[in-house]
Amino acid sequence: MNDNNAKKIRMEKTAAVVFALIVWQAGAMLLDNSMLLVSPLTVIKRLFTLFFESDFLSSVSFSFIRIVSGFLLALAAGSLFAIIAGRVHIVEVMLWPFMTAIKTVPVASFIILCLIWLSSSNLSIFIGFIMVLPIVYTNMLQGIKSTDVKLLEMANLFNVSWYKRLKYIYLPQLKPYIISAGSVSIGLAWKAGTAAEVIGIPEGSIGEKLYEAKVYFSSADLLAWTLVIIFASIAFEKLFLNFLKKFFRRLERS
Amino acid sequence: MDIVVSGLSKSFGTNLVLDGFNAVFPEREITCLMGPSGCGKTTLLNILMGFIKPDSGSIQGVPALKSAVFQEDRLCETFNAVSNVKLVLNSKSDSGIIVEHLNQIGLKGSLDKPVNELSGGMRRRVAIVRAILAKSDILFLDEPFKGLDDDTKKDVMNYLLDNLKGRTVVMVTHNMDEVKSLNAGLIQMEGKSK
């Protein structure tokens, strides 16, 4: 994609966002009821005041640490399960009902069920983990299965060590699958993790703030905190994908 | 120890490729396999390399340490030429030797590029250096000159002559000149080779 095309796409997207904000502002002005639909300007104003509140950073870091931990744990566990399932077919068969169940059971059912077992403060770790696990597992397993058999034959013939196979053959071939799993599941981890916090209401979390906004019918607070969640999710996604790109660049140059 | 192949048969479905094939590949010598396409040369090589099992027959004397130039280059696409060779060497090996060999075969100036940015002929030469430098007691070369122009072929031939001396080599080729240049033994294979 050349620079002109990229610039054009950026301009189009900016125009679309501006248009959506105008539609939102017009709707809010027509309804003229901040409880039903608060205007974007009010939300942005509220967002700026949020930054200066004493518990803003602690709430964001509380949720960020837990949701990101859940995601990273799922990334590690999903990859490990996929590696084992890729080598031992029976493990893949045995894991199938669990992964299918996790994918199809509504997240609210998991949250309520898990509230019985876990403290509400750690609930978002587990819910983030459980929602991301099947996505990482499925993507990685697909990547492992599509590894070039001819390269593996070559590695067998030359008695290439397991570490070198991972570095030269598996990781480069898994790269698109890891990136795809990451970009799909980070947003999901935030959605599910926040939902868990709204239901579990752990003290000092973003979920608690959303719950309070619901109790006090404060649409401005609700949408301002929602924007905070979106920014945190996008920031972590960019950070994670940049880390992956740098990691693979280094790997290929080493 | 010579490699002795007796009564080797292999079929894929109803297609009988090798039918009771017999041959001896002398130790520390180059032996070329020639024959029309589909006569089972690559199948025989794949059996000797241990990738496929024969339906019947026996093979004796194949050393454990093997090296090969495959029909396809089988390189790690996003890594450069030096890394591709390093892959098959032990971790303490000297990169200087790898660079020396790659330069010798005409790859000077292209060593930092990922191999997916190299031409077919350059990739072939990376695969050849990889096979030469890997610690092995036998080399399998499946059409090693495929995709090389005449000048490059001459350089690669000289490189192989320097580096194949005293090594056991089984090579698939379609070209009698290559057999002569390498001063190799010849096994002519026919369809449904015997």
Side-chain angles (χ1 to χ4, degrees), chain A residues 150 153 158 164 251 254, chain B residues 67 74 79 83 86-87 89:
Chain A
K150 289 191 182 293
E153 275 182 357
F158 285 109
K164 281 186 175 175
L251 183 86
S254 63
Chain B
S67 177
R74 302 196 189 188
F79 289 85
S83 295
K86 255 188 192 172
L87 168 71
L89 306 182

Side-chain angles (χ1 to χ4, degrees), chain B residues 25-45:
Chain B
F25 300 93
E27 190 186 13
R28 297 183 191 283
E29 281 183 27
I30 303 172
T31 308
C32 287
L33 297 169
M34 273 185 80
S37 296
C39 72
K41 303 183 294 291
T42 298
T43 301
L44 175 63
L45 229 54

Side-chain angles (χ1 to χ4, degrees), chain B:
Chain B
M1 191 182 179
D2 294 347
I3 298 167
V4 181
V5 175
S6 335
L8 207 65
S9 295
K10 179 69 191 173
S11 55
F12 297 99
T14 54
N15 182 22
L16 182 64
V17 181
L18 293 171
D19 183 13
F21 179 78
N22 299 298
V24 175
F25 300 93
E27 190 186 13
R28 297 183 191 283
E29 281 183 27
I30 303 172
T31 308
C32 287
L33 297 169
M34 273 185 80
S37 296
C39 72
K41 303 183 294 291
T42 298
T43 301
L44 175 63
L45 229 54
N46 282 335
I47 292 172
L48 292 171
M49 287 190 280
F51 293 159
I52 51 177
K53 284 188 177 156
D55 298 333
S56 60
S58 71
I59 304 163
Q60 285 170 328
V62 180
L65 284 177
K66 303 179 190 98
S67 177
V69 173
F70 301 94
Q71 206 167 49
E72 325 80 18
D73 300 313
R74 302 196 189 188
L75 299 172
C76 298
E77 298 293 335
T78 53
F79 289 85
N80 65 29
V82 178
S83 295
N84 265 283
V85 180
K86 255 188 192 172
L87 168 71
V88 302
L89 306 182
N90 73 46
S91 41
K92 286 173 191 160
S93 349
D94 183 6
S95 292
I97 293 170
I98 302 172
V99 172
E100 202 179 293
H101 275 255
L102 290 166
N103 285 343
Q104 202 183 328
I105 208 166
L107 289 171
K108 200 172 187 175
S110 305
L111 303 187
D112 291 331
K113 288 181 190 166
V115 292
N116 57 14
E117 288 178 18
L118 301 182
S119 69
M122 287 169 147
R123 293 163 56 86
R124 198 69 184 148
R125 282 176 276 168
V126 175
I128 289 169
V129 171
R130 181 179 67 183
I132 291 293
L133 288 182
K135 197 178 171 196
S136 68
D137 295 321
I138 183 164
L139 277 107
F140 298 100
L141 310 177
D142 198 348
E143 300 184 45
F145 302 101
K146 197 173 78 176
L148 302 180
D149 59 61
D150 288 345
D151 285 342
T152 314
K153 195 172 164 181
K154 216 178 278 174
D155 293 340
V156 173
M157 181 61 82
N158 289 332
Y159 175 78
L160 286 178
L161 283 169
D162 287 346
N163 290 282
L164 291 180
K165 272 177 203 151
R167 299 177 80 170
T168 309
V169 180
V170 179
M171 182 172 120
V172 169
T173 180
H174 289 286
N175 190 332
M176 197 58 197
D177 291 340
E178 291 170 12
V179 183
K180 285 176 186 162
S181 300
L182 288 166
N183 196 20
L186 176 66
I187 293 174
Q188 189 73 45
M189 294 174 78
E190 303 299 333
K192 291 180 190 170
S193 296
K194 291 215 174 186

Side-chain angles (χ1 to χ4, degrees), chain A residues 150-168:
Chain A
K150 289 191 182 293
L151 276 185
L152 294 176
E153 275 182 357
M154 179 274 292
N156 282 340
L157 184 100
F158 285 109
N159 290 319
V160 174
S161 66
W162 169 241
Y163 166 74
K164 281 186 175 175
R165 279 173 206 233
L166 184 71
K167 179 182 164 182
Y168 288 89

Side-chain angles (χ1 to χ4, degrees), chain A residues 211-223:
Chain A
Y211 179 79
E212 283 170 1
K214 185 202 98 172
V215 169
Y216 298 113
F217 295 109
S218 172
S219 302
D221 273 26
L222 178 71
L223 291 173

Side-chain angles (χ1 to χ4, degrees), chain A residues 1-13:
Chain A
M1 192 189 296
N2 61 34
D3 281 354
N4 278 343
N5 253 348
K7 207 174 171 184
K8 192 185 164 200
I9 290 169
R10 250 200 318 272
M11 292 273 282
E12 283 173 353
K13 282 186 175 172

